[in-house]
Amino acid sequence: MSRREDLYLADIVTAHYRIASYLEGLDFSGFQKDDLRQDGVIRQLSIIGEAASSLTQETRDAQPEIPGKLVRGMRNMLVHQYLMPI
């Protein structure tokens, strides 16, 4: 049984809000020094990419302003090229 698409969309929204909360009040320099926040953001970006990969083509086509291919590509880079420094 496949998961309902609305649940994938909810995952994307939830991950977005988690990233925003992790970064609240933090500048880039602070982010670079905070391994825990980096890990959290990377995890949430991975969730967004994975959920985006599970959306139907019809849903993707309905939102052409969202660069789905880039979102999915970012997930693949984060998961498969994890040795790259931030």
Side-chain angles (χ1 to χ4, degrees):
M1 176 194 279
S2 65
R3 196 165 183 244
R4 291 189 345 230
E5 191 167 50
D6 62 322
L7 297 176
Y8 290 115
L9 294 169
D11 289 342
I12 291 169
V13 171
T14 299
H16 164 268
Y17 282 112
R18 285 186 178 178
I19 290 170
S21 73
Y22 298 164
L23 299 178
E24 189 173 348
L26 191 68
D27 64 9
F28 186 68
S29 176
F31 179 71
Q32 286 181 303
K33 297 173 188 171
D34 192 330
D35 292 339
L36 189 60
R37 289 190 198 209
Q38 288 177 32
D39 289 347
V41 169
I42 289 168
R43 171 69 176 140
Q44 297 307 311
L45 289 171
S46 177
I47 288 170
I48 290 170
E50 188 66 29
S53 295
S54 299
L55 299 176
T56 64
Q57 190 62 48
E58 180 181 3
T59 298
R60 293 178 199 170
D61 291 344
Q63 302 296 327
E65 71 278 7
I66 299 174
K69 187 173 183 178
L70 291 175
V71 171
R72 295 184 304 276
M74 174 62 80
R75 180 256 176 214
N76 291 337
M77 186 190 78
L78 291 171
V79 171
H80 299 293
Q81 297 176 4
Y82 56 88
L83 297 176
M84 296 174 53
I86 293 179

